[in-house]
Amino acid sequence: MSFRWSRAAAVARKEVYHVLRDPFTLMLSLGLPVFLVFVFGFAIEFNVEDLRLAVVDADRTRSSRQLIDTFGSSGYFIVEPAPSPDGAFRALTGDRARAALLIPGDFEKDLYAGRGAHAQILLDGTDNSTVGPILGYVGAIESIAAERIGDFDPPERVDVQARFLFNSELNSRWFVIPGLGVVVMAILSVLLTALAVAREWENGSMELLLSTPVEPLEIIAGKIAPYAVLGVAAMAFIFVISLTVFAVPFRGSLLVYGAGTLLFLAAYLAQGMLISVLTRNQLVAMQVAIMSGLIPANLLSGFIFPIESMPLFFQYLTMIMPARWLTDIARESHLKGASLLDMWEAFAALAVLAAVTVALAVTRFKRNVEP
């Protein structure tokens, strides 16, 4: 099989004319990624703040008030007094509070007697996403309160100070935005080629193209090239938005990040091409593209759930998903300033996945041309 750049360029030129005449494709490839990153970038927030805390103070002493003030001044909780433990429980069940602090009547007495002061936190376990952060806040507030409360000599303790590198403020948007751009482009890249080529199969124009001397690899390259340019443009828009609107730092190399993006787009655009070759129907192609692009990219790319926390089988399964590797590259380039050498495994995986996906698309395309 011979490959001529002129024939691939002719296919690409035809596809460019088709895209320019189709406002929906342009909107889908350029407008939708920017819109989704804007919306979800502001909507997704992993930091939990301003939680309503129902407080029952049965002790009403200086120590109990200092404990309550410590919770209120932390910035995480909005303190709302409750008349009794039953009232605090009703506030939890009625969604008027996300947690409740119960201070017993002998709080200060036990503190000065050396028996240790104990209070109880009730958490709404139906919302698992807030329980973990609240427990983290309570641990930090507990140590601060121990220093503020009482005129007693606290026992000696080991002082361990934590320092967060690369994201000292634990800004969740710095973590979310790079991965969000990857997920959005993973979905759209598959859809772009899957729908565009399936439309040609339905309209019958693909058969005319296949009747020419153009080889399958030239058709694949020519079809992918214009959408790769659109994908790079969309990723560039997302990159600028992440820097200017969400103030996400970028400490790595633009050249390295761009190379990873090209491999990522090649893999997903070829996946869309493979879907369109197999289905030849826009509706079916869209359904398969969503199942193979949207769901895995969201759940198994590490965008939301840490891959290290998944069962071993799913950890291996994520290795065949390009979104997993570009998510690593994006986060490490933005926050750590990692080099190509630091991320060689991700680049090697993306290169292999892109080569395998393109080879599969070409093979299936050829088989359908010459059954």
Side-chain angles (χ1 to χ4, degrees), residues 166-316:
F166 313 119
N167 186 3
S168 57
E169 298 176 359
L170 295 183
N171 188 331
S172 64
R173 288 207 170 93
W174 289 13
F175 176 77
V176 168
I177 300 300
L180 178 61
V182 173
V183 170
V184 169
M185 287 311 301
I187 301 162
L188 290 178
S189 299
V190 178
L191 273 177
L192 281 174
T193 45
L195 292 181
V197 179
R199 189 184 305 120
E200 289 212 38
W201 285 111
E202 287 186 354
N203 295 336
S205 54
M206 183 59 76
E207 281 78 1
L208 294 176
L209 181 61
L210 297 178
S211 65
T212 65
V214 182
E215 296 286 346
L217 181 58
E218 294 165 347
I219 295 176
I220 297 290
K223 287 283 184 186
I224 285 179
Y227 295 104
V229 173
L230 287 174
V232 170
M235 288 294 283
F237 286 149
I238 293 172
F239 180 76
V240 172
I241 290 171
S242 67
L243 298 187
T244 56
V245 178
F246 298 104
V248 181
F250 185 80
R251 303 182 178 117
S253 164
L254 274 176
L255 190 61
V256 171
Y257 185 45
T261 300
L262 282 176
L263 290 173
F264 162 83
L265 289 173
Y268 273 116
L269 290 172
Q271 180 178 327
M273 184 70 69
L274 178 62
I275 291 170
S276 67
V277 169
L278 294 175
T279 60
R280 301 188 180 187
N281 179 284
Q282 289 189 77
L283 180 60
V284 179
M286 184 175 66
Q287 292 172 341
V288 176
I290 289 174
M291 284 190 293
S292 64
L294 174 64
I295 298 173
N298 264 305
L299 301 180
L300 300 176
S301 67
F303 167 58
I304 298 176
F305 307 110
I307 293 174
E308 295 77 11
S309 303
M310 298 177 186
L312 194 59
F313 170 77
F314 289 100
Q315 290 188 34
Y316 285 119

Side-chain angles (χ1 to χ4, degrees), residues 115-191:
R115 294 190 291 270
H118 302 282
Q120 186 177 33
I121 286 279
L122 303 178
L123 302 176
D124 183 359
T126 59
D127 187 358
N128 195 40
S129 63
T130 61
V131 170
I134 291 175
L135 287 176
Y137 299 156
V138 169
I141 292 170
E142 184 183 19
S143 63
I144 296 172
E147 295 177 356
R148 288 185 179 179
I149 299 174
D151 298 326
F152 61 98
D153 295 328
E156 293 186 2
R157 55 188 174 85
V158 177
D159 187 15
V160 179
Q161 294 184 345
R163 182 185 174 194
F164 301 102
L165 301 178
F166 313 119
N167 186 3
S168 57
E169 298 176 359
L170 295 183
N171 188 331
S172 64
R173 288 207 170 93
W174 289 13
F175 176 77
V176 168
I177 300 300
L180 178 61
V182 173
V183 170
V184 169
M185 287 311 301
I187 301 162
L188 290 178
S189 299
V190 178
L191 273 177

Side-chain angles (χ1 to χ4, degrees), residues 77-146:
F77 298 98
I78 298 174
V79 173
E80 295 181 355
S84 64
D86 288 341
F89 184 76
R90 286 195 296 273
L92 283 174
T93 56
D95 287 335
R96 297 189 301 278
R98 306 301 294 274
L101 173 65
L102 307 182
I103 303 176
D106 52 0
F107 181 79
E108 187 174 80
K109 181 180 175 182
D110 288 345
L111 180 69
Y112 284 97
R115 294 190 291 270
H118 302 282
Q120 186 177 33
I121 286 279
L122 303 178
L123 302 176
D124 183 359
T126 59
D127 187 358
N128 195 40
S129 63
T130 61
V131 170
I134 291 175
L135 287 176
Y137 299 156
V138 169
I141 292 170
E142 184 183 19
S143 63
I144 296 172

